Amino acid sequence: MLFEILTTSIFGGLALNAFVKKKGLATNDSGKIQRIMALSDLNVKDGKDTLTTTLIRKKQHSWGWEYKYRIPDGRSFNDYLSKMDVLQDGLNNRRKKINFTDLTKLKFDRTIIQQLQELWRTKLTEQKEIELDFDGLLIIRVYDKPLATKIDWDEMLLKPKSWSVPIGYTRKGDLIEHNFDKSKHLIIAGATGYGKSAILKLVVTTLIDQQPDNAELSLIDLKGGSAFHRFRNCKQVKYYSRDPESAEDFLKNVQIDMQKSFEKVVDNGFEDVKEAKIKKRHFIIIDEAADLSEYADAMDIITDIARRGRSAGFYLIFCTQYPTAQVIPSQTKRNIIARLCYAVDTDTASRVVLDEGGADKLPDIPGRGIYKNNVKRYIIQSPFIENEAIQQQIEPYIIKKKEVEHEDESSQSKAGADIATFTEV
Ligand SMILES: Nc1ncnc2c1ncn2[C@@H]1O[C@H](COP(=O)(O)OP(=O)(O)OP(=O)(O)O)[C@@H](O)[C@H]1O
């Protein structure tokens, strides 16, 4: 009996589906979106006329629908970004239906009842997600399925000899990478607990693994060592510090090294280390930059690295939980085009990092962020690497180290400060 009902539904569904496709009536949310826009004050009154957001085209993809709209005069992309919640909740405010495609995924065996129960449970909890973009037209992408809330790191993500590191997956399943040789520095921000240290650990592991002989790292871990402690004995780590005073000290050395590299590149008529065929790259990675903001010399050096480091192969990863104008000085920010922002609590914080709102509207999911590089902007879920996997990857590079004295007095650490300048023994 159940089998008859199901097969009848399937053939009925098949015929209906063919009819709907033929008539171009395939389900989409365009009408609903337009209604939500009208109800949430996105239309503009012009005398007696009402200027509306006009649908220009829509396209169905494997992941959902993409709509393109012309926005009326008097509205900006940011007006739509600020209504993102309203649009998304509006689209999800619907009766849940089981459709033909759902039924085709069932296996008609003894487990059919359990499968139907599971299907119904999934349907009740499933949510559409939207993404907004602007390329002269407002783009609204409606995804049938939400982006995964956790994506495990996999060794397949490693690209030996490359300077690209994984940043995250988009809803379309594309992997977004940050290529340090192209995009150079990176700002990472986000409220507490949303995955800043996790992505830093992933970046450090990737750099060590992909470029064991050419990557040189200066690690400033102002969160008491929780982020970088496990890397401090890797042969690639040149400087490691857990407090701002000693970090300020070693940054002076980094600046001297950078100057030497800068002169080697520029004096020989090259634009950057890549053109000069210099293989080494130095990464200055700071986890929590706010704790350095009152150290004027350190901040000046960071600004200098942001300005001149790109040619010299000295790349900055500047990470903070407190994205304010004081913590991210404007000159530093101007020189760092690529930004990765996890969830933040205010629109202002999102604008400090990304120059636009949106990160304050991200869902409450660690690793969910917005990566912006120039005009390109992606919502991503960063892969997560477990500490055991990190340990396994860096194990071959852990060496015995001893602290070395530098001739330059600026490198001498203050008594009791936790600075380590290393050499292999
Ligand atoms: N990409 C991710 N995918 C899934 N879970 C993640 C991801 N990143 C972080 N998490 C989870 O969130 C927790 C907190 O992450 P993390 O320590 O990186 O946050 P944080 O932003 O550095 O916070 P704080 O600024 O307070 O140190 C992790 O222990 C992990 O359980």
Side-chain angles (χ1 to χ4, degrees):
M1 175 67 176
L2 177 66
F3 183 75
E4 277 169 16
I5 293 170
L6 284 169
T7 44
T8 311
S9 324
I10 287 171
F11 287 115
L14 262 175
L16 181 66
N17 200 38
F19 173 78
V20 162
K21 278 222 167 111
K22 193 168 167 218
K23 294 276 176 197
L25 298 172
T27 51
N28 69 74
D29 289 303
S30 61
K32 196 154 191 188
I33 292 174
Q34 224 129 5
R35 206 165 54 248
I36 299 168
M37 284 179 181
L39 291 172
S40 52
D41 286 339
L42 285 164
N43 292 344
V44 179
K45 278 264 173 225
D46 182 14
K48 283 190 194 144
D49 298 332
T50 302
L51 308 178
T52 57
T53 315
T54 319
L55 180 66
I56 303 297
R57 45 182 176 271
K58 60 186 178 192
K59 190 168 177 210
Q60 190 171 22
H61 295 267
S62 54
W63 41 260
W65 284 83
E66 181 177 88
Y67 305 93
K68 289 205 169 191
Y69 295 89
R70 180 165 303 114
I71 65 177
D73 292 343
R75 284 281 165 256
S76 70
F77 175 52
N78 274 323
D79 292 333
Y80 291 85
L81 265 184
S82 70
K83 300 285 182 186
M84 194 160 147
D85 289 350
V86 182
L87 283 162
Q88 188 161 286
D89 292 350
L91 289 182
N92 283 308
N93 184 11
R94 59 169 70 226
R95 281 176 55 210
K96 311 282 176 182
K97 281 186 264 175
I98 289 181
N99 58 30
F100 171 73
T101 321
D102 299 321
L103 292 174
T104 58
K105 289 178 189 148
L106 297 175
K107 269 209 223 139
F108 295 100
D109 57 20
R110 282 166 51 208
T111 62
I112 187 72
I113 299 292
Q114 286 99 305
Q115 289 179 58
L116 281 167
Q117 283 170 342
E118 183 55 35
L119 174 63
W120 185 237
R121 223 185 344 265
T122 317
K123 277 278 157 186
L124 285 177
T125 51
E126 109 182 334
Q127 287 278 321
K128 289 190 176 190
E129 284 186 353
I130 67 165
E131 235 177 62
L132 303 187
D133 222 332
F134 190 73
D135 67 355
L137 292 175
L138 168 71
I139 302 167
I140 301 185
R141 297 189 191 97
V142 181
Y143 293 89
D144 293 336
K145 289 203 173 57
L147 183 53
T149 52
K150 187 163 183 241
I151 300 176
D152 291 325
W153 176 83
D154 189 282
E155 233 174 289
M156 300 286 283
L157 286 171
L158 292 170
K159 281 187 170 174
K161 302 212 180 314
S162 150
W163 292 110
S164 290
V165 297
I167 292 295
Y169 286 92
T170 64
R171 289 193 176 85
K172 294 181 201 162
D174 298 332
L175 175 66
I176 303 300
E177 297 171 304
H178 179 86
N179 181 346
F180 283 100
D181 253 4
K182 254 197 197 159
S183 306
K184 326 281 175 174
H185 317 298
L186 175 64
I187 290 176
I188 299 175
T192 180
Y194 281 100
K196 299 181 298 299
S197 300
I199 192 77
L200 287 177
K201 289 195 284 183
L202 174 59
V203 168
V204 172
T205 308
T206 307
L207 291 172
I208 289 176
D209 241 305
Q210 294 182 168
Q211 292 278 6
D213 300 322
N214 300 320
E216 217 172 59
L217 307 169
S218 287
L219 304 179
I220 303 180
D221 189 344
L222 303 178
K223 285 186 186 164
S226 56
F228 299 141
H229 195 260
R230 71 187 63 247
F231 301 103
R232 73 198 301 262
N233 288 321
C234 289
K235 71 168 190 171
Q236 294 81 3
V237 177
K238 188 162 183 195
Y239 301 107
Y240 170 82
S241 165
R242 291 200 301 194
D243 67 86
E245 288 85 11
S246 60
E248 188 167 60
D249 278 345
F250 88 53
L251 280 170
K252 290 173 186 161
N253 282 325
V254 172
Q255 194 179 32
I256 293 166
D257 295 346
M258 181 181 76
Q259 178 64 25
K260 284 185 196 150
S261 175
F262 187 77
E263 284 166 10
K264 205 161 143 188
V265 170
V266 176
D267 292 352
N268 285 307
F270 297 111
E271 196 173 301
D272 59 19
V273 275
K274 195 173 173 199
E275 201 187 0
K277 301 213 172 356
I278 296 172
K279 289 190 171 163
K280 286 249 180 258
R281 304 288 184 273
H282 192 111
F283 295 84
I284 300 95
I285 309 180
I286 309 168
D287 195 10
E288 174 54 67
D291 293 338
L292 268 186
S293 60
E294 293 187 351
Y295 292 76
D297 288 351
M299 293 310 285
D300 286 348
I301 296 169
I302 288 168
T303 301
D304 190 31
I305 296 169
R307 195 166 56 84
R308 295 188 304 143
R310 49 183 60 245
S311 312
F314 279 60
Y315 303 147
L316 186 65
I317 305 178
F318 185 98
C319 182
T320 184
Q321 177 189 329
Y322 308 99
T324 62
Q326 197 210 351
V327 173
I328 315 179
S330 60
Q331 227 194 330
T332 305
K333 195 176 137 182
R334 242 198 333 270
N335 284 295
I336 308 184
I337 307 298
R339 328 260 168 87
L340 169 61
C341 193
Y342 295 111
V344 289
D345 53 359
T346 63
D347 176 69
T348 312
S350 176
R351 282 172 199 281
V352 170
V353 186
L354 300 169
D355 297 318
E356 63 183 38
D360 53 315
K361 303 276 187 303
L362 287 168
D364 193 9
I365 299 169
R368 181 67 52 89
I370 297 176
Y371 174 71
K372 197 175 164 194
N373 195 345
N374 237 331
V375 289
K376 295 228 162 99
R377 175 187 186 279
Y378 308 92
I379 295 184
I380 50 90
Q381 178 68 30
S382 295
F384 183 70
I385 184 165
E386 302 285 349
N387 287 336
E388 295 73 35
I390 296 179
Q391 203 57 40
Q392 214 177 344
Q393 294 302 318
I394 65 173
E395 200 68 53
Y397 309 109
I398 294 176
I399 53 169
K400 265 193 164 180
K401 290 177 172 182
K402 69 176 171 70
E403 275 191 50
V404 290
E405 292 290 319
H406 281 254
E407 280 170 22
D408 185 277
E409 64 165 10
S410 65
S411 71
Q412 286 166 14
S413 62
K414 290 183 182 148
D418 190 0
I419 183 172
T421 307
F422 293 129
T423 185
E424 199 167 340
V425 292

